Amino acid sequence: MPDRPSPRALERPPQIHTRDLEMAHLLLGKVYGDLTIDVHRDRQRFEWRATSVDLGPVALFLATVASDLTLRGEVSNYIVSLTAGPSLRVAASREAAEVSPGRSAAMFSPGPRIEWTPASPSRSMTLRIDARYLEEQLEALTGVPIRRPLAFAL
């Protein structure tokens, strides 16, 4: 008889739902790093829903935001950001790009200030990769020590 996964392994990942900007700031800090949230219009309409799948050094966040906002600050890990719709505007250092559903993604590196501005409402997928984990994996694959954080172009 084949092994069956334990019922615990089949539990749904944690769901996040908040209209509280302070709570969102704390939770987004765990995803991205030290960021500010600027809501462009009615702060009362702010709503954030997310599902997180934390696999240790790699975590996946599926999110929906129901208001116009901009996230600004510094990320502490490597972040891959995709959108399921509509497009999203990203910037880091002196680079800027538009991320389109099904066509492109943005890769943020630790250190430089970033800006992330989705159209409202937005659906995004964010993959967070622990900085040291990625660097250790690259060192193991290449045999060359990493002397400074990797810098990806948007």
Side-chain angles (χ1 to χ4, degrees), residues 31-32 48-53 59-65 79-86 88 90 99 101-102 104-108 116 118 122-128:
V31 177
Y32 292 99
W48 181 50
R49 293 177 184 264
T51 301
S52 66
V53 181
L60 176 67
F61 299 88
L62 306 169
T64 302
V65 177
I79 304 289
V80 180
S81 188
L82 301 116
T83 184
L88 116 89
V90 295
V99 178
S104 56
M107 179 81 180
F108 298 110
W116 187 88
S122 69
R123 293 176 299 151
S124 64
M125 181 170 48
T126 299
L127 183 66
R128 184 195 69 218

Side-chain angles (χ1 to χ4, degrees), residues 86-106:
S87 63
L88 116 89
R89 183 93 176 132
V90 295
S93 297
R94 294 181 187 102
E95 296 180 275
E98 186 168 320
V99 178
S100 300
R103 293 179 166 249
S104 56

Side-chain angles (χ1 to χ4, degrees), residues 14-96:
Q15 304 287 310
I16 300 165
H17 179 210
T18 187
R19 293 177 182 271
D20 181 345
L21 278 171
E22 291 303 317
M23 177 61 71
H25 181 256
L26 291 172
L27 294 169
L28 286 167
K30 292 180 180 183
V31 177
Y32 292 99
D34 186 23
L35 298 178
T36 60
I37 303 171
D38 296 327
V39 177
H40 301 286
R41 291 188 222 157
D42 186 5
R43 294 174 71 90
Q44 301 301 321
R45 290 189 51 228
F46 173 79
E47 183 176 9
W48 181 50
R49 293 177 184 264
T51 301
S52 66
V53 181
D54 192 344
L55 304 171
V58 177
L60 176 67
F61 299 88
L62 306 169
T64 302
V65 177
S67 56
D68 293 328
L69 60 86
T70 297
L71 301 178
R72 289 184 181 90
E74 292 182 11
V75 295
S76 51
N77 293 291
Y78 295 98
I79 304 289
V80 180
S81 188
L82 301 116
T83 184
S87 63
L88 116 89
R89 183 93 176 132
V90 295
S93 297
R94 294 181 187 102
E95 296 180 275

